[in-house]
Amino acid sequence: MSTVTPVSTSTSQRKKVTTLTFRQKKERGEPITMLTAYDYPTAVAMDKAGIDSILVGDSLAMVVLGYENTLSVTMDEMLHHARAVSRGAKSALLVGDMPFMSYQVTAEEALRNAGRFLQEAGMDAVKLEGGRDRAEAVRRITGAGIPVMGHLGLTPQSIHQLGGFRAQGKTASAAKILLEDAKILEEAGAFSLVLEAVPARLAEYISKQISIPTIGIGAGAGCDGQVLVTHDLLGLFDRFTPKFVRKYADFHTEMNKAFTQYIDDVETKRFPAIEHTVEMTDEEWNEFISKK
Ligand code: KIV
């Protein structure tokens, strides 16, 4: 840890983004910005940059915890990371992603787990995957005053049913079901809806057919907002990058360079240098040596 006085990072606090802000942005045709975060420093940086919303996504399982897919991550793991994000972001609307099996068994369990995201982790809302089969859970959670974001299209918690990470809604019949599900979720009380990996013309059509904002990921520019997995955007996740991602940085390569340089510096004794060391006066040193 450096002891150098940090440059002041304090700025005047932005107004808190709420579900009402989401609705107003849709009405005004202003794109809603959302990214995922799983830790304190990322949340601080995003909030400072002016992001509308932060999703503590269950993508945590893959991009941070190294699991094969999103199915293994638990409520406790999600809450642990959600707490760190809420300590860092004060203005963005914070959405906790409900992990696999935390909301599918009963609506009561769904409500209890949704409540934990607000009560124990400082989230403002929760997100869950699925359409008509989740309507009861959405009703139950929103009935308790907890805002719910839906998620349709490629729903990673159903990869085994979908046959892998594949685009959805590409046939007329699948598109019809997707539109129906979007309307069902709206009717059940969802305040917003993620549309993942669906044809752009379908996402745009659905966005116009419902009053709640759609947040697209791999769903084209016709959605009311956009979300990306931050580790994809930063080039931090090395296993694969989905086609719909724009990489804004290559942090994996940068990290590799930095670690290689550090190892080399230590091995060749170029680090630590004199400016990284703590001094002791000659007087104290001589006293120490003489009393040895
Ligand atoms: O978990 C996640 O990061 C998500 C986004 C892909 C929307 O659900």
Side-chain angles (χ1 to χ4, degrees):
M1 263 296 153
S2 162
T3 53
V4 174
T5 311
V7 174
S8 170
T9 53
S10 75
T11 49
S12 61
Q13 182 91 29
R14 267 192 303 144
K15 215 172 142 212
K16 176 76 183 170
V17 178
T18 67
T19 56
L20 178 63
T21 322
F22 264 47
R23 212 178 317 145
Q24 289 167 338
K25 283 198 126 185
K26 174 167 178 130
E27 282 162 13
R28 291 198 292 258
E30 292 171 15
I32 296 162
T33 58
M34 186 180 209
L35 283 171
T36 64
Y38 320 95
D39 60 47
Y40 172 84
T42 310
V44 169
M46 257 174 211
D47 209 40
K48 224 172 125 188
I51 200 85
D52 288 320
S53 181
I54 297 178
L55 171 67
V56 184
D58 66 350
S59 47
L60 163 76
M62 297 173 72
V63 301
V64 174
L65 302 180
Y67 291 122
E68 198 57 36
N69 54 48
T70 60
L71 303 182
S72 312
V73 74
T74 63
M75 269 301 293
D76 286 340
E77 286 169 324
M78 289 301 301
L79 291 172
H80 176 75
H81 288 266
R83 273 183 218 112
V85 168
S86 70
R87 284 192 284 267
K90 301 299 169 205
S91 299
L93 179 84
L94 304 180
V95 183
D97 209 1
M98 298 195 68
F100 183 55
M101 282 296 119
S102 69
Y103 58 94
Q104 290 93 339
V105 180
T106 65
E108 276 64 36
E109 222 178 297
L111 172 57
R112 207 167 293 286
N113 284 321
R116 292 188 69 193
F117 272 103
L118 274 71
Q119 207 164 35
E120 298 176 34
M123 296 289 101
D124 303 310
V126 296
K127 176 172 86 58
L128 53 80
E129 298 181 4
R132 62 201 69 200
D133 295 339
R134 304 282 83 86
E136 195 195 339
V138 173
R139 253 182 239 110
R140 197 87 166 84
I141 300 170
T142 55
I146 301 171
V148 176
M149 178 176 273
H151 184 159
L152 294 175
L154 168 51
T155 45
Q157 291 177 16
S158 307
I159 46 160
H160 296 309
Q161 200 173 38
L162 301 177
F165 292 99
R166 312 161 72 90
Q168 300 296 308
K170 289 172 73 173
T171 64
S173 56
K176 182 169 176 284
I177 292 170
L178 249 162
L179 174 61
E180 284 170 5
D181 278 345
K183 289 182 173 172
I184 288 168
L185 290 174
E186 176 185 27
E187 189 274 331
F191 77 95
S192 177
L193 180 59
V194 168
L195 292 174
E196 179 165 356
V198 301
R201 56 166 69 173
L202 175 62
E204 184 171 359
Y205 185 78
I206 292 174
S207 304
K208 287 185 177 144
Q209 292 291 311
I210 59 177
S211 63
I212 58 174
T214 58
I215 310 294
I217 171 162
C223 293
D224 301 304
Q226 298 293 326
V227 60
L228 279 178
V229 170
T230 294
H231 285 51
D232 290 336
L233 169 154
L234 293 178
L236 257 174
F237 184 58
D238 65 322
R239 261 169 46 203
F240 62 88
T241 305
K243 173 177 171 280
F244 53 74
V245 169
R246 179 177 288 169
K247 255 182 161 178
Y248 288 83
D250 187 0
F251 278 16
H252 183 74
T253 305
E254 288 305 312
M255 271 186 3
N256 197 271
K257 267 197 234 160
F259 298 150
T260 309
Q261 184 68 59
Y262 168 75
I263 292 165
D264 192 54
D265 282 356
V266 172
E267 286 178 349
T268 57
K269 298 187 181 273
R270 282 196 302 264
F271 178 83
I274 198 76
E275 65 269 27
H276 306 120
T277 53
V278 176
E279 289 302 330
M280 188 177 187
T281 61
D282 288 346
E283 193 185 355
E284 294 297 336
W285 177 251
N286 291 335
E287 188 183 331
F288 164 70
I289 287 294
S290 64
K291 287 185 181 156
K292 215 161 38 85

